[in-house]
Amino acid sequence: MGNARVHSLVKLSEVVECIILRRINRFVVEVSIDGSIVNVYINNTGKLVDYLVKGKLGYCIPKHSGKTRYVLVAIKDNDLAALIDTRLQMKAFEVSISKGLIPWLKGCSIVGRNVRLGDSIVDYLVGCSDFNMYLEVKSAVLRRREYAMYPDCPSSRGRRHIAELLRHRLRGGYSAVVFIAALPHVKAFRPNCAVDEKLCTYLHKANEVGVLIKSVALYFNPR
């Protein structure tokens, strides 16, 4: 964040512009494409109150199966765009690891995806030189001035994951939670304690016992 060097991580083809009309449910948004009203898929279940606003310019890519023809992946934010698609966020994060672009993960590689930890499934098991680390990724797409924030609504799933990473650390293991600040022009990440105080309590406890709490910045460049 801040003055960090910018890297191109994932290239998208067949990007289609759309105009946001309304959110129908957690996974479907109604948009206008070339004057036609179309339902598109969205995989980010956050409220996205800053972005799913009628009249906003969005960016879709083709979807080759299911009931919808497109996936809404980004929404214009000033001169760039917020990357709201969680699958693409994670793909970019994985590319960053493989290219050694994240200093605290240099020399590490992903050895497992969607791995069980206690009663939860976490995103990654990362293998480093002399230890393995469980790592969970969270999408921070709420903007408050120069900060990206998470969550944008109470998240029992987020609380459960952080609590599991905390317990693993207390047992002597290594664990981390990474907040993907997928917004352009943000300087830092902040937890949104106003909407989920209990999650913040878990996060503070996790930090105190040595769970790594990190953030990385991503955005979509439509040019």
PDB file of all heavy atoms in Angstrom, residues 188-200:
ATOM      1  N   ALA A 188      -3.970   1.925   3.818  1.00  0.00           N
ATOM      2  CA  ALA A 188      -3.803   0.906   4.848  1.00  0.00           C
ATOM      3  C   ALA A 188      -5.112   0.158   5.049  1.00  0.00           C
ATOM      4  O   ALA A 188      -6.162   0.536   4.512  1.00  0.00           O
ATOM      5  CB  ALA A 188      -3.353   1.547   6.166  1.00  0.00           C
ATOM      6  N   PHE A 189      -5.029  -0.915   5.831  1.00  0.00           N
ATOM      7  CA  PHE A 189      -6.208  -1.696   6.220  1.00  0.00           C
ATOM      8  C   PHE A 189      -6.557  -1.410   7.674  1.00  0.00           C
ATOM      9  O   PHE A 189      -5.666  -1.223   8.514  1.00  0.00           O
ATOM     10  CB  PHE A 189      -5.946  -3.192   6.051  1.00  0.00           C
ATOM     11  CG  PHE A 189      -6.952  -4.049   6.772  1.00  0.00           C
ATOM     12  CD1 PHE A 189      -8.202  -4.276   6.222  1.00  0.00           C
ATOM     13  CD2 PHE A 189      -6.659  -4.588   8.024  1.00  0.00           C
ATOM     14  CE1 PHE A 189      -9.145  -5.030   6.896  1.00  0.00           C
ATOM     15  CE2 PHE A 189      -7.598  -5.352   8.704  1.00  0.00           C
ATOM     16  CZ  PHE A 189      -8.844  -5.569   8.138  1.00  0.00           C
ATOM     17  N   ARG A 190      -7.865  -1.415   7.976  1.00  0.00           N
ATOM     18  CA  ARG A 190      -8.340  -1.336   9.357  1.00  0.00           C
ATOM     19  C   ARG A 190      -9.492  -2.316   9.545  1.00  0.00           C
ATOM     20  O   ARG A 190     -10.371  -2.405   8.678  1.00  0.00           O
ATOM     21  CB  ARG A 190      -8.851   0.068   9.685  1.00  0.00           C
ATOM     22  CG  ARG A 190      -7.789   1.049  10.119  1.00  0.00           C
ATOM     23  CD  ARG A 190      -8.425   2.357  10.557  1.00  0.00           C
ATOM     24  NE  ARG A 190      -7.435   3.300  11.042  1.00  0.00           N
ATOM     25  CZ  ARG A 190      -7.709   4.543  11.404  1.00  0.00           C
ATOM     26  NH1 ARG A 190      -8.956   4.993  11.338  1.00  0.00           N
ATOM     27  NH2 ARG A 190      -6.760   5.343  11.833  1.00  0.00           N
ATOM     28  N   PRO A 191      -9.527  -3.036  10.672  1.00  0.00           N
ATOM     29  CA  PRO A 191     -10.702  -3.867  10.957  1.00  0.00           C
ATOM     30  C   PRO A 191     -11.900  -2.981  11.277  1.00  0.00           C
ATOM     31  O   PRO A 191     -11.756  -1.922  11.895  1.00  0.00           O
ATOM     32  CB  PRO A 191     -10.268  -4.692  12.171  1.00  0.00           C
ATOM     33  CG  PRO A 191      -9.191  -3.881  12.820  1.00  0.00           C
ATOM     34  CD  PRO A 191      -8.489  -3.143  11.715  1.00  0.00           C
ATOM     35  N   ASN A 192     -13.069  -3.418  10.844  1.00  0.00           N
ATOM     36  CA  ASN A 192     -14.288  -2.635  11.053  1.00  0.00           C
ATOM     37  C   ASN A 192     -14.964  -3.091  12.344  1.00  0.00           C
ATOM     38  O   ASN A 192     -15.944  -3.839  12.335  1.00  0.00           O
ATOM     39  CB  ASN A 192     -15.222  -2.800   9.851  1.00  0.00           C
ATOM     40  CG  ASN A 192     -16.367  -1.809   9.877  1.00  0.00           C
ATOM     41  OD1 ASN A 192     -16.436  -0.943  10.738  1.00  0.00           O
ATOM     42  ND2 ASN A 192     -17.274  -1.934   8.922  1.00  0.00           N
ATOM     43  N   CYS A 193     -14.438  -2.616  13.454  1.00  0.00           N
ATOM     44  CA  CYS A 193     -14.926  -3.047  14.763  1.00  0.00           C
ATOM     45  C   CYS A 193     -16.341  -2.548  15.043  1.00  0.00           C
ATOM     46  O   CYS A 193     -17.051  -3.128  15.866  1.00  0.00           O
ATOM     47  CB  CYS A 193     -13.977  -2.570  15.855  1.00  0.00           C
ATOM     48  SG  CYS A 193     -12.292  -3.215  15.673  1.00  0.00           S
ATOM     49  N   ALA A 194     -16.765  -1.507  14.366  1.00  0.00           N
ATOM     50  CA  ALA A 194     -18.095  -0.950  14.616  1.00  0.00           C
ATOM     51  C   ALA A 194     -19.198  -1.925  14.228  1.00  0.00           C
ATOM     52  O   ALA A 194     -20.275  -1.908  14.831  1.00  0.00           O
ATOM     53  CB  ALA A 194     -18.265   0.363  13.854  1.00  0.00           C
ATOM     54  N   VAL A 195     -18.950  -2.786  13.236  1.00  0.00           N
ATOM     55  CA  VAL A 195     -20.000  -3.710  12.802  1.00  0.00           C
ATOM     56  C   VAL A 195     -19.814  -5.118  13.364  1.00  0.00           C
ATOM     57  O   VAL A 195     -20.755  -5.912  13.347  1.00  0.00           O
ATOM     58  CB  VAL A 195     -20.113  -3.784  11.262  1.00  0.00           C
ATOM     59  CG1 VAL A 195     -20.375  -2.425  10.670  1.00  0.00           C
ATOM     60  CG2 VAL A 195     -18.894  -4.421  10.641  1.00  0.00           C
ATOM     61  N   ASP A 196     -18.606  -5.455  13.841  1.00  0.00           N
ATOM     62  CA  ASP A 196     -18.387  -6.795  14.404  1.00  0.00           C
ATOM     63  C   ASP A 196     -17.327  -6.708  15.500  1.00  0.00           C
ATOM     64  O   ASP A 196     -16.153  -7.002  15.287  1.00  0.00           O
ATOM     65  CB  ASP A 196     -17.970  -7.782  13.315  1.00  0.00           C
ATOM     66  CG  ASP A 196     -18.191  -9.228  13.731  1.00  0.00           C
ATOM     67  OD1 ASP A 196     -18.046  -9.525  14.932  1.00  0.00           O
ATOM     68  OD2 ASP A 196     -18.518 -10.059  12.863  1.00  0.00           O
ATOM     69  N   GLU A 197     -17.768  -6.301  16.666  1.00  0.00           N
ATOM     70  CA  GLU A 197     -16.850  -6.094  17.790  1.00  0.00           C
ATOM     71  C   GLU A 197     -16.196  -7.404  18.228  1.00  0.00           C
ATOM     72  O   GLU A 197     -15.012  -7.436  18.592  1.00  0.00           O
ATOM     73  CB  GLU A 197     -17.605  -5.460  18.953  1.00  0.00           C
ATOM     74  CG  GLU A 197     -16.722  -5.068  20.125  1.00  0.00           C
ATOM     75  CD  GLU A 197     -17.496  -4.364  21.219  1.00  0.00           C
ATOM     76  OE1 GLU A 197     -18.683  -4.036  21.005  1.00  0.00           O
ATOM     77  OE2 GLU A 197     -16.907  -4.147  22.300  1.00  0.00           O
ATOM     78  N   LYS A 198     -16.954  -8.501  18.180  1.00  0.00           N
ATOM     79  CA  LYS A 198     -16.411  -9.789  18.617  1.00  0.00           C
ATOM     80  C   LYS A 198     -15.294 -10.252  17.689  1.00  0.00           C
ATOM     81  O   LYS A 198     -14.278 -10.791  18.143  1.00  0.00           O
ATOM     82  CB  LYS A 198     -17.524 -10.837  18.671  1.00  0.00           C
ATOM     83  CG  LYS A 198     -17.111 -12.127  19.357  1.00  0.00           C
ATOM     84  CD  LYS A 198     -18.304 -13.049  19.564  1.00  0.00           C
ATOM     85  CE  LYS A 198     -17.891 -14.314  20.310  1.00  0.00           C
ATOM     86  NZ  LYS A 198     -19.055 -15.220  20.528  1.00  0.00           N
ATOM     87  N   LEU A 199     -15.459 -10.038  16.382  1.00  0.00           N
ATOM     88  CA  LEU A 199     -14.401 -10.391  15.437  1.00  0.00           C
ATOM     89  C   LEU A 199     -13.129  -9.616  15.762  1.00  0.00           C
ATOM     90  O   LEU A 199     -12.025 -10.173  15.737  1.00  0.00           O
ATOM     91  CB  LEU A 199     -14.859 -10.114  14.003  1.00  0.00           C
ATOM     92  CG  LEU A 199     -13.892 -10.513  12.883  1.00  0.00           C
ATOM     93  CD1 LEU A 199     -14.663 -11.001  11.659  1.00  0.00           C
ATOM     94  CD2 LEU A 199     -12.978  -9.356  12.475  1.00  0.00           C
ATOM     95  N   CYS A 200     -13.276  -8.338  16.070  1.00  0.00           N
ATOM     96  CA  CYS A 200     -12.107  -7.527  16.416  1.00  0.00           C
ATOM     97  C   CYS A 200     -11.437  -8.022  17.690  1.00  0.00           C
ATOM     98  O   CYS A 200     -10.209  -8.001  17.803  1.00  0.00           O
ATOM     99  CB  CYS A 200     -12.513  -6.065  16.565  1.00  0.00           C
ATOM    100  SG  CYS A 200     -12.647  -5.209  14.984  1.00  0.00           S
TER     101      CYS A 200
END
